[in-house]
């Protein structure tokens, strides 16, 4: 698992700490803006993958916004002729289902639900993994072995079957709860790989220095350890989000999650069960939710591939167009692991 | 303690913990299967005074005994391979699982090996010719493959190759007309039935494997020891296998352990789509039929399979990477 554990990032922290005293609050805010928002944005934007990915994701955000503000009609049966083809009638651009529901309305209708669920799944899985991984990797000793045994246990349980069993007993209908349940044991594996990275980081001399200076554990983890594993965490946040989409749609598709109105998986399931597979007439009904799912996952992955660049200090210092060819290989290396 | 011994001892412990979890799910969750089983039996017209006896028969738990007694009953049942009786199939759960397990293992093992080999080969070529046209096309292709869930490939393959063209069967693990056994006819039938599920499951994983391999490969190619090996005048084949391939694949091998878990869980959707009679298929059947003993049995067996699979992978990892057998891999 290749992450750069060179002292680059820590150097920045070190310096900003030292200059703290003779900077006004305004200067500091400005520097913070430069360092945290402006520079990453420029670097990220220089990569076509981020650009395309961000564009795709904003389409989904827009769709979510349209739904939240109620700007587009709600899906309902018989609102149009049955099984209209896409682009056949421009009032229903993506066509309709067998019962005459506007497909575009269906897709838009469930966007906020899906986005919330994906966000919840990603935050839960990576958040817990970071806490577990850094604490157990940095602390070592008893804390480490207790945490490791617990996560080993959770790693030994296959995710989807567990989710199915839980879905039956809990019937999660809230998107946030559903997102958390879907990734209920995802953190375990991720936490283990974060732990192994922290193990190598904690041996670095600057961490040693902080320790000798008597810096508190939480501060060392926040200031010295976290910045180093951030790229890996961000990439895995996206992978966890992707897993949440795939798992939820798959489980809706085979009909084990409770139907909460319509969403992409339910649409896919309906299309599949009502002949979307057998005739070309209904094939678009199957294809539209598929495109919605693949599009979202594609956008997420593109952003994650490009995002790596933001956190890679060697690329960041350049800040110019030439960064395109730099360290081309490194960014993919951090993707190792989960999926 | 020896690494292998410690690792082996952990298996029964993990299985015990998972069995405890299934017991907890059956017994303790509000509205869990146990409660629902009771409601279901009453609804089926089983007299109230017989419900407890029926539950005892179905799930091997005495519902009126104290909790610790129920727990011990359940664990003893699991140890004796008595997982109760399936309600919908009217057979012991263990018999159903014994029939289903080989198919799931067959699917997962074959597709995971194929995925790994194909992905590694593509990624290696990409890393070697980094920046070439092949590399660029394959990278974009891999990113795209990563964003398509495997069941979409399954559905599309089923649509085109099975329903439209009729080249492949749409369900089952082998043709009913063929007698099971080591005959060429049977094996061909099995392969024919497994081809689409395996292909769909394999394609779904190639993208990320290739991207990982490409990343690792490029990194290893830039290492000093590769340069040194070249200066020493070692042959290209020796450098590519002993130095580059080995060091690029090793980190992926650990990732494979996690993947086995995800892929084993993934068969639930896959087998349901192809009506392939493995563990996942029966799990969904049991869910749809409210067949709680079978459902819990499937869950337990899938988990045990995963524990064993990860164990095997862990052991072989020790063979490939001698550092791990030196003892304390978690020595901090």
């Amino acid at each position: 698992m290749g992450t750069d554990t060179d002292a680059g990032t820590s150097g920045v922290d070190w310096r900003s700490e030292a200059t703290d005293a003779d900077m006004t609050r305004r200067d500091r805010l400005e520097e913070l803006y430069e360092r945290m928002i402006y520079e990453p944005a420029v670097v990220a934007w220089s990569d076509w993958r981020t650009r395309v990915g961000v564009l795709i994701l904003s389409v989904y955000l827009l769709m979510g916004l349209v739904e939240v503000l109620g700007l587009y009609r709600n899906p309902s049966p018989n609102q149009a002729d049955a099984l209209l083809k896409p682009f056949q009638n421009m009032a229903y651009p993506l066509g309709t289902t067998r019962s005459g529901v506007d497909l575009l309305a269906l897709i838009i209708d469930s966007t906020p639900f899906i986005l919330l669920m994906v966000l919840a799944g990603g935050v839960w899985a990576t958040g817990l993994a970071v806490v577990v991984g850094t604490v157990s990797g940095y602390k070592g000793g008893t804390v480490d072995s207790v945490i490791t045994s617990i996560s080993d246990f959770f790693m030994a349980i296959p995710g989807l079957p567990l989710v199915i069993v839980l879905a039956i007993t809990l019937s999660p209908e809230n998107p946030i709860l559903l997102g958390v349940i879907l990734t209920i044991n995802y953190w375990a594996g991720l936490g283990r790989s974060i732990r192994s990275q922290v193990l190598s980081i904690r041996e670095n001399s600057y961490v040693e220095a902080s320790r000798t200076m008597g810096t508190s554990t939480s501060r060392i983890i926040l200031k010295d350890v976290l910045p180093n594993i951030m790229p890996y965490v961000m990439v895995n946040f996206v992978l966890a989000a992707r897993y949440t989409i795939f798992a939820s749609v798959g489980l809706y598709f085979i009909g084990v999650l409770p139907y909460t109105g319509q969403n992409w998986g339910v649409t896919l399931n309906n299309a599949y069960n009502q002949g979307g597979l057998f005739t070309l007439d209904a094939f678009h009904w199957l294809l539209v939710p598929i495109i919605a799912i693949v599009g979202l996952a594609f956008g997420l992955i593109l952003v994650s591939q490009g995002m790596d660049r933001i956190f890679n200090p060697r690329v960041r210092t350049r800040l110019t167009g030439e960064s395109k060819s730099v360290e081309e290989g490194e960014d993919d290396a951090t993707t190792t692991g989960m999926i | 303690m020896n690494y292998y011994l410690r690792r082996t001892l952990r298996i029964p412990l993990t299985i015990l913990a998972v069995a405890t979890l299934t017991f907890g799910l059956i017994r303790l969750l509000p509205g869990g299967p146990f409660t629902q089983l009771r409601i279901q039996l009453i609804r089926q017209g089983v007299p109230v005074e017989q419900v407890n006896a029926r539950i005892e028969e179905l799930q091997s738990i005495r519902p009126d005994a104290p909790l610790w007694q129920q727990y011990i009953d359940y664990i003893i049942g699991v140890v004796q391979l008595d997982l109760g009786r399936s309600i919908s199939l009217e057979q012991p759960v263990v018999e159903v699982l014994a029939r289903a397990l080989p198919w799931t293992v067959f699917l997962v093992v074959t597709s995971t090996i194929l995925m790994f080999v194909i992905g590694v080969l593509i990624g290696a070529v990409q890393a070697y010719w980094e920046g070439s046209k092949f590399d660029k096309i394959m990278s974009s292709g891999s990113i795209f493959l990563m964003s398509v869930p495997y069941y979409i490939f399954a559905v599309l393959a089923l649509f085109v190759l099975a329903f439209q063209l009729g080249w492949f069967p749409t369900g089952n693990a082998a043709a009913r007309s063929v007698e099971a056994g080591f005959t060429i006819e049977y094996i061909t039938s099995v392969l024919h039935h497994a081809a689409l599920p395996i292909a769909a499951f394999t394609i779904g994983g190639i993208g990320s494997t290739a991207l990982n391999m490409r990343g690792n490969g490029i990194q290893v190619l830039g290492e000093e020891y590769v340069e040194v090996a070249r200066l020493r005048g070692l042959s290209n084949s020796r450098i590519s296998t002993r130095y580059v391939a080995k060091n690029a694949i090793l980190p992926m091998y650990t990732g494979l352990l996690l993947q086995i878990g995800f892929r084993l869980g993934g068969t639930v959707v896959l087998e349901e789509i192809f009506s392939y009679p493995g563990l996942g298929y029966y799990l969904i059947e049991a869910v749809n039929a409210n067949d709680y003993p079978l459902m819990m049995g499937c869950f337990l067996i899938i988990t045990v399979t995963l524990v064993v699979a990860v164990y095997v992978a862990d052991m072989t990892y020790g063979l490939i990477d001698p550092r791990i057998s030196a003892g304390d891999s978690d020595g901090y």
Side-chain angles (χ1 to χ4, degrees):
Chain A
M1 257 159 250
T3 33
D4 16 30
T5 48
D6 59 326
T9 349
S10 73
V12 174
D13 283 335
W14 223 77
R15 196 175 50 223
S16 68
E17 203 112 288
T19 47
D20 253 2
D22 35 74
M23 278 171 83
T24 66
R25 164 170 286 169
R26 199 193 139 84
D27 283 341
R28 243 184 309 168
L29 276 179
E30 248 168 36
E31 196 203 281
L32 205 67
Y33 167 78
E34 280 276 304
R35 196 154 52 88
M36 302 296 288
I37 299 167
Y38 178 71
E39 291 183 18
V42 169
V43 175
W45 198 250
S46 71
D47 190 284
W48 70 270
R49 292 172 295 194
T50 332
R51 245 177 295 168
V52 177
V54 166
L55 277 179
I56 293 178
L57 291 187
S58 25
V59 170
Y60 282 89
L61 282 179
L62 202 70
M63 271 162 47
L65 208 63
V66 165
E67 169 58 23
V68 171
L69 298 177
L71 295 177
Y72 194 76
R73 64 173 92 91
N74 278 324
S76 67
N78 297 318
Q79 60 189 172
D81 295 335
L83 290 180
L84 278 177
K85 289 252 178 257
F87 311 117
Q88 192 180 346
N89 177 342
M90 282 328 261
Y92 308 98
L94 296 183
T96 56
T97 70
R98 190 176 291 284
S99 47
V101 184
D102 180 10
L103 269 173
L104 181 60
L106 263 184
I107 298 297
I108 288 183
D109 189 50
S110 42
T111 311
F113 181 92
I114 301 266
L115 291 184
L116 267 183
M117 181 192 71
V118 166
L119 193 67
V123 169
W124 159 263
T126 33
L128 201 56
V130 167
V131 172
V132 165
T134 47
V135 169
S136 104
Y138 184 76
K139 275 293 209 184
T142 329
V143 180
D144 181 32
S145 42
V146 169
I147 293 179
T148 309
S149 323
I150 295 175
S151 52
D152 269 353
F153 168 64
F154 277 98
M155 269 168 75
I157 305 171
L160 285 187
L162 178 67
V163 173
I164 291 173
V165 175
L166 283 178
I168 285 159
T169 42
L170 300 176
S171 303
E173 297 193 349
N174 177 306
I176 295 178
L177 178 66
L178 182 59
V180 170
I181 288 187
L182 283 168
T183 50
I184 189 96
N185 69 343
Y186 193 97
W187 59 270
L190 185 53
R192 272 310 278 277
S193 46
I194 289 179
R195 172 183 171 272
S196 61
Q197 304 207 358
V198 172
L199 281 182
S200 70
I201 292 172
R202 74 190 284 261
E203 296 306 306
N204 281 341
S205 47
Y206 58 90
V207 180
E208 191 93 14
S210 298
R211 233 186 340 245
T212 347
M213 277 154 57
T215 317
S216 71
T217 308
S218 54
R219 207 180 151 75
I220 296 181
I221 289 182
L222 272 179
K223 287 275 174 184
D224 295 337
V225 177
L226 268 186
N228 280 300
I229 56 170
M230 251 350 235
Y232 188 72
V233 171
M234 293 312 286
V235 168
N236 275 289
F237 174 82
V238 169
L239 289 180
R242 183 188 75 136
Y243 174 78
T244 319
I245 310 174
F246 285 10
S248 69
V249 173
L251 292 183
Y252 273 118
F253 179 51
I254 60 172
V256 267
L257 288 178
Y259 282 12
T260 41
Q262 288 285 355
N263 71 54
W264 305 343
V266 177
T267 311
L268 196 62
N269 175 302
N270 287 339
Y272 184 71
N273 287 329
Q274 296 178 39
L277 263 191
F278 305 106
T279 58
L280 278 175
D281 290 337
F283 192 57
H284 68 276
W285 184 9
L286 201 64
L287 211 57
V288 168
I290 289 180
I291 292 173
I293 298 154
V294 171
L296 182 54
F298 191 56
L300 283 170
I301 291 171
L302 280 179
V303 169
S304 88
Q305 293 281 325
M307 215 163 35
D308 228 21
R309 204 165 280 269
I310 302 178
F311 296 100
N312 193 331
R314 263 168 290 179
V315 182
R316 246 181 85 175
T317 46
R318 303 219 166 184
L319 256 190
T320 44
E322 59 183 308
S323 67
K324 198 161 224 164
S325 58
V326 184
E327 305 291 341
E328 184 68 52
E330 284 251 301
D331 41 22
D332 297 323
T334 42
T335 336
T336 327
M338 303 307 285
I339 296 289
Chain B
M1 220 193 298
N2 180 304
Y3 170 75
Y4 292 100
L5 190 63
R6 221 174 24 179
R7 189 66 188 77
T8 313
L9 282 179
R10 225 167 63 197
I11 289 190
L13 279 181
T14 319
I15 293 176
L16 179 72
V18 174
T20 309
L21 178 80
T22 46
F23 175 78
L25 287 170
I26 297 172
R27 195 57 199 84
L28 298 177
L29 275 185
F34 197 67
T35 326
Q36 300 209 18
L37 191 60
R38 191 183 291 271
I39 299 170
Q40 198 189 350
L41 287 175
I42 292 173
R43 210 182 286 147
Q44 277 174 4
V46 177
V48 179
E49 56 271 20
Q50 286 179 26
V51 165
N52 277 355
R54 285 276 283 150
I55 290 178
E56 186 178 339
E57 187 204 355
L58 287 169
Q59 192 69 81
S60 325
I61 291 178
R62 276 173 287 168
D64 45 358
L67 199 60
W68 60 269
Q69 187 77 53
Q70 291 183 15
Y71 175 69
I72 291 176
D73 281 356
Y74 182 75
I75 297 297
I76 290 178
V78 170
V79 170
Q80 293 174 339
L81 290 179
D82 174 11
L83 297 173
R85 271 184 88 79
S86 156
I87 304 173
S88 57
L89 300 173
E90 300 186 328
Q91 283 171 348
V93 169
V94 171
E95 273 179 29
V96 180
L97 298 179
R99 245 183 346 208
L101 180 66
W103 295 122
T104 299
V105 171
F106 173 54
L107 274 195
V108 174
V109 168
T110 320
S111 72
T112 307
I113 292 176
L114 280 177
M115 170 202 85
F116 200 69
V117 170
I118 298 174
V120 162
L121 287 179
I122 293 178
V125 175
Q126 272 182 278
Y128 195 77
W129 302 104
E130 190 202 345
S132 67
K133 204 166 209 165
F134 176 81
D135 180 30
K136 279 183 183 139
I137 293 173
M138 279 317 212
S139 289
S140 320
S142 294
I143 293 181
F144 180 70
L145 280 187
M146 276 179 81
S147 41
V148 184
Y150 59 89
Y151 48 80
I152 298 292
F153 291 117
V155 166
L156 293 180
L158 201 58
F159 174 64
V160 178
L161 299 175
F163 283 114
Q164 298 296 324
L165 297 171
W167 290 352
F168 288 94
T170 58
N172 286 322
R176 279 177 210 282
S177 53
V178 185
E179 189 90 12
F182 273 104
T183 57
I184 291 177
E185 207 188 1
Y186 182 70
I187 293 173
T188 332
S189 172
V190 165
L191 291 179
H192 193 208
H193 281 75
L196 283 190
I198 288 179
F201 217 22
T202 307
I203 293 171
I206 287 182
S208 46
T209 319
L211 271 186
N212 283 343
M213 181 62 194
R214 175 181 179 274
N216 294 349
I218 289 173
Q219 216 171 19
V220 172
L221 281 171
E223 298 282 352
E224 276 162 12
Y225 56 76
V226 177
E227 201 56 36
V228 171
R230 227 169 246 144
L231 291 177
R232 278 167 63 200
L234 296 181
S235 70
N236 269 336
S237 63
R238 196 181 166 87
I239 294 176
S240 57
T241 52
R242 288 286 174 82
Y243 289 75
V244 180
K246 193 171 177 181
N247 286 298
I249 292 175
L250 262 184
M252 292 178 63
Y253 196 79
T254 14
L256 199 65
L257 303 188
L258 288 172
Q259 287 216 352
I260 293 173
F262 286 108
R263 294 177 75 78
L264 214 74
T267 57
V268 176
V269 182
L270 192 76
E271 288 172 2
E272 178 65 14
I273 291 174
F274 286 103
S275 313
Y276 198 81
L279 292 172
Y281 176 78
Y282 281 108
L283 180 64
I284 302 298
E285 291 292 289
V287 166
N288 290 336
N290 282 333
D291 188 343
Y292 295 108
L294 182 57
M295 192 173 98
M296 287 305 171
C298 283
F299 178 65
L300 190 64
I301 290 300
I302 293 179
T303 313
V304 171
T305 315
L306 174 57
V307 171
V308 173
V310 171
Y311 173 73
V312 171
D314 249 1
M315 291 293 111
T316 44
Y317 187 78
L319 294 180
I320 300 173
D321 187 0
R323 277 172 298 183
I324 200 149
S325 56
D328 286 299
S329 58
D330 340 17
Y332 279 97

